[in-house]
Amino acid sequence: MTVTHDPIPRRPRWRNLALLALLLAPLLWPVQRLAERYYVNELTEQNRQTLDLYVANLLGTLRRYEVMPGILGELPVVRNALYQADDPDALDQANRRLNELRRETGADVIYLMDIEGNALASSNWAEHDSFVGRNFSFRPYFIEAMEGKLGRFFGLGNTSGKRGYYFGSAVRDGERNLGVLVVKVDLDHTERLWGNTPEQLLVTDNFGVVILTSQAEWRFRASRALDFDEREQIAFNRPYPTLEPRDLTLDINRWLIQSHELREIDWTVRILAPLAMVERPVRTAVAIGGATLLALLLWLGLLMQRRRHFIERLNLDAQARQQLEQRVQERTRDLESLNSRLKKEVLEREHTQQELVRAQDELLQTGKLSALGTMSASISHELNQPLAAIRSYADNAGVLLDHQRNDEARDNLQRISELTARMASIIAHLRAFARRDRYAPERVALQPALDDALALLAKRRQSMGVELIRDLPEATLWVQAGETRLRQILANLLANALDALGERPLPRRIWLSAERLENGVRLILRDNGPGFSAEALARAREPFFTTKTSAQGLGLGLAICDTLVRALDGELNIDNHAEGGALLTLFLRSAEPATAFPTEDYLQ
Ligand code: ADP
């Protein structure tokens, strides 16, 4: 048997997943945007704090020093130096005092100028780059201080080259300017405070020029274009090492910039954080998002695969069921055809059997006819015995009548009448034997039938001096037979025994015994004659087999007996006794009065 499977459509699952991944990939963009916004905010907030801290520090530094010139200008030693500018002692005292003050306040340089701008005393009087004797009248802080204002100025130290913030204040005597006291603050260190961080510092002054920065290459670059006036001022004040500051070029896209304006000094402080700082965590977030998406897809793929396997298994189960059903159907069809074939065969057998039975019947009929043909020749043989008895009774009757013994003569005549009736019955029986119809078996008592048969042969037996040994039960043994047929069978068997005993000297004996069996009755007839010869044992049932002279026997006795017995569903066994003599066993079916009579078994 071959079963064709529907091929399960193989969908390209991983292509579908890849397509899904492509569709879901744009989801990563908002993830990136969100992460960017988050980290930028974070960085902004962090830098805002750093910036505020730095600005506070810077302003703190500047404010601490901006009041100093005014206060220091009131010191007697300072004023003395101005009053007695020619007195080396007064100047020396001023120098020393200013140096002490510098040390105490942490200022870079403190120096004192006369109204011409000449430095009279200075904290660095003893050093090689001493300001003493130099003129700073061109410096803006000097000019502003002389105008009565607080002078402010950013610039490089003329000799030191260090960046500093200068506060200048006039020393006055009433309305009169005596001189100007200047405190210079070192700003280099505020730059160094910044340290080595990825975030960069950028402080621009009022010209937009970078004065403080954590990136050395940005220093003194112009963050915006300078106009003519501004260039003039720069040329005049020279706050930077160069008169033409180069442009600061910054890639705006690379930096996150926050600024704080210091309005009082017109400076701007900026903190620049490289956006690369944000890129890495954003990349990580996107990678995590991507990995999650991938895991989701894999999980989805796995689910799809499991679902697919499940469907495949269901299909396989369905196919197996279908195959099984098909096989069952095929087997059922096979069985049905086998069944019908068997039915046909049974019918044929029945038909054949009927044919056989008919053929057997016909054969039987033919056999009977031929047997009848041969038996007709021996009717005389069958009738000889009653005829001999009739003759004997008739002779006796004549003699008895002669002697006026009428009653006995009547009795003999009665016997003759009975014998003729029996002869008629024998003839009828022989005719029935040749015809198809059969007599239904009757219930016949065995002992009386045996007595009748013995009576038929009584005279002859007695004349031969044959001793009869009976071993029959008292109770009547009922057998299935026909009364005439049974008597005929028994008479035949007894006559044969007498024939055989005729060849023997005395003592001559006949044993008769019977017993009830489970389903029948067994009658045993034994004589002490010569017994059956070997040939007779084999052929005794054959019609016309005889060892006797033609006058004595026709060889039909046992043939008829056997046929009759078999017709009664009985059995006749022919054998010799171990002690010599014939042993005939007749088995007949029992017909007990109580048992129902199964007539249909015998009627056709
Ligand atoms: P018939 O008596 O006319 O010969 P049967 O058919 O009665 O025919 O007997 C056939 C033969 O069987 C007899 O010829 C005889 O040889 C043998 N036979 C029959 N009965 C006896 C017996 N009781 N003892 C010995 N031989 C027997």
Side-chain angles (χ1 to χ4, degrees), residues 381-382 492-501 503 525-533 535-537 539-561 574-576 581-584:
H381 170 82
E382 295 296 327
N492 264 332
L493 299 180
L494 285 168
N496 274 350
L498 290 179
D499 286 348
L501 286 168
E503 298 171 24
L525 237 120
R526 178 190 160 195
D527 61 58
N528 62 345
F532 287 89
S533 67
E535 192 192 6
L537 263 185
R539 301 183 53 199
R541 289 165 214 266
E542 286 179 20
F544 303 111
F545 175 81
T546 180
T547 56
K548 299 167 192 171
T549 61
S550 57
Q552 283 178 317
L554 288 172
L556 280 171
L558 286 180
I560 288 172
C561 283
I574 299 170
D575 207 347
N576 284 326
L583 180 72
L584 289 124

Side-chain angles (χ1 to χ4, degrees), residues 3-11 308 311-312 315-316 319 322:
V3 178
T4 52
H5 303 286
D6 284 345
I8 300 165
R10 288 212 152 269
R11 282 187 297 273
R308 192 182 150 72
I311 289 173
E312 277 177 8
N315 281 340
L316 283 178
Q319 275 179 9
Q322 202 182 344

